[in-house]
């Protein structure tokens, strides 16, 4: 049976592991060829482990196992010029671009008065400027293709908030704003722009190191400790759960959904 994205090409950032890898594999399974980038090396200031080049190669292997083509390159989303040249080259190789998933991001936890200027700036540069860069280098190709779907990865923190993460919360609210603002202007080109808002997802970001950082932060203000409890009996989602939502938004099943902010969070934003 033909997949929902047969003949399409998708560009995915942060694809070395976690949600980005799940998006690459799921969109490939639905029939899309993939352009994938990731810094695939040391991430600044985070307490969790960074991905490696081998992680990005593994994503490429998994996409090829779905019988799809992939162009996978190391690139920092903060580097607009390099990203543009990789995407332009990927489109030359794969023929077109229809879907964009701006997924790369970092999360640094710290109480407000331990948040450094470097921590705040790096978070905004990666999670906001990086997403803006991603749309700016790819939207012209979607216009050429006659339309498409752009999905920006925000967070539970971009609809409610994440305590002990002022920079992360601000960045993910900005992503929600980027989705709406781009949706308004790109709509006349038949380009839909939506944001997804995961709760906690079991990836390299949500590790024991992060849980320890959160536990230490909660000690500074214990009343915030229960915020974001899911209603459903699961503390976290799998990356594939978010990929299912991304595949839906990328497909024609969502052809009149734009400027929307879709939560996959087991209800935690309402707790
Ligand atoms: N894991 C969670 O609980 C959770 C919850 C809500 C939202 N998110 C968001 O989901 C997205 C994916 O995160 P994940 O959970 O898969 O974590 P992850 O750390 O496993 O994956 C993020 C990927 O982005 C890449 N990346 C980070 N900075 C980059 C840069 N400057 N340039 C290029 N690549 C870069 C990393 O190398 C990594 O491979 C992020 O935007 C994150 O903020 C995560």
């Amino acid at each position: 049976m033909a997949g929902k994205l047969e003949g399409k090409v998708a560009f995915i950032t942060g694809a070395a592991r976690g949600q980005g890898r799940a998006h690459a594999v799921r969109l490939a399974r639905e029939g899309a060829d993939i352009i994938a980038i990731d810094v695939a090396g040391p991430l600044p200031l985070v307490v969790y482990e960074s991905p490696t080049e081998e992680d990005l190669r593994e994503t490429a292997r998994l996409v090829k196992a779905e019988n799809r083509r992939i162009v996978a390159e190391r690139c920092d989303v903060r580097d607009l010029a390099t990203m543009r040249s990789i995407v332009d080259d990927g489109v030359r190789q794969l023929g077109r671009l229809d879907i964009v998933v701006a997924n790369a991001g970092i999360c640094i936890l710290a109480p407000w008065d331990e948040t450094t200027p470097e921590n705040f700036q790096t978070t905004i540069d990666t999670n906001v400027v990086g997403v803006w860069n991603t749309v700016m280098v790819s939207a012209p190709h979607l216009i050429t293709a006659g339309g498409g779907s752009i999905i920006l990865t925000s967070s539970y923190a971009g609809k409610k908030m994440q305590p002990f993460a002022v920079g992360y919360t601000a960045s993910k609210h900005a992503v929600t704003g980027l989705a709406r603002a781009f949706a308004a202007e790109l709509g006349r080109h038949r380009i839909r722009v939506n944001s997804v808002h995961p709760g906690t997802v079991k990836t390299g970001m949500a590790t024991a190191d992060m849980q320890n950082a959160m536990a230490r932060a909660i000690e500074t203000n214990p009343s915030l400790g229960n915020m974001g409890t899911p209603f459903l009996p699961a503390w976290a989602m799998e990356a594939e759960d978010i990929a299912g939502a991304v595949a839906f938004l990328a497909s024609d099943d969502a052809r009149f959904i734009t400027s929307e902010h879709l939560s996959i969070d087991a209800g935690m934003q309402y707790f």
Side-chain angles (χ1 to χ4, degrees):
M1 202 175 78
K4 285 180 180 179
L5 305 175
E6 215 65 49
K8 309 271 189 201
V9 178
F11 170 46
I12 303 168
T13 70
R17 68 178 188 190
Q19 294 176 57
R21 176 187 284 172
H23 300 334
V25 173
R26 178 62 194 269
L27 298 189
R29 192 165 298 155
E30 296 289 350
D33 289 332
I34 307 293
I35 302 168
I37 64 162
D38 200 294
V39 73
L43 297 172
L45 302 170
V46 303
V47 296
Y48 50 89
E49 270 188 33
S50 298
T52 62
E53 277 193 79
E54 177 50 30
D55 289 323
L56 187 57
R57 280 198 289 272
E58 175 62 12
T59 297
R61 269 193 292 276
L62 292 168
V63 167
K64 286 176 191 158
E66 300 292 337
N67 291 319
R68 300 315 319 171
R69 293 179 294 169
I70 180 165
V71 173
E73 298 285 349
R74 288 186 68 195
C75 174
D76 193 315
V77 291
R78 293 171 292 179
D79 180 350
L80 178 70
T82 303
M83 199 184 343
R84 176 169 282 131
S85 103
I86 291 170
V87 170
D88 289 353
D89 189 54
V91 171
R92 263 192 298 275
Q93 289 186 53
L94 301 179
R96 54 188 293 126
L97 187 63
D98 308 276
I99 298 156
V100 179
V101 188
N103 161 82
I106 56 167
C107 183
I108 306 166
L109 296 175
W112 72 273
D113 52 353
E114 293 174 28
T115 302
T116 63
E118 192 191 8
N119 158 338
F120 188 79
Q121 188 70 57
T122 305
T123 302
I124 298 297
D125 286 347
T126 306
N127 294 6
V128 184
V129 181
V131 169
W132 185 81
N133 288 345
T134 304
V135 177
M136 293 306 283
V137 302
S138 47
H141 293 294
L142 269 56
I143 293 172
T144 304
S149 175
I150 300 176
I151 298 131
L152 310 184
T153 302
S154 176
S155 169
Y156 149 83
K159 274 174 105 171
K160 191 182 187 181
M161 50 81 64
Q162 171 66 59
F164 315 114
V166 171
Y168 188 74
T169 296
S171 75
K172 292 302 188 181
H173 273 72
V175 170
T176 314
L178 286 171
R180 289 183 193 153
F182 276 123
E185 290 196 58
L186 294 176
R188 73 191 181 101
H189 300 292
R190 294 189 168 78
I191 297 171
R192 299 179 293 104
V193 190
N194 295 289
S195 51
V196 289
H197 299 256
T200 307
V201 191
K202 294 179 209 163
T203 67
M205 181 183 282
T207 57
D209 294 327
M210 284 291 262
Q211 282 166 19
N212 293 338
M214 179 56 86
R216 276 196 303 278
I218 288 171
E219 282 171 19
T220 69
N221 196 340
S223 67
L224 299 177
N226 287 333
M227 196 178 283
T229 302
F231 292 159
L232 294 172
W235 75 271
M237 276 128 279
E238 305 293 339
E240 288 71 22
D241 296 312
I242 318 306
V246 165
F248 164 70
L249 288 172
S251 78
D252 284 345
D253 288 345
R255 70 196 178 109
F256 285 118
I257 300 179
T258 192
S259 205
E260 192 51 87
H261 39 90
L262 178 61
S263 289
I264 311 98
D265 70 354
M268 63 191 282
Q269 69 182 297
Y270 296 110
F271 190 92

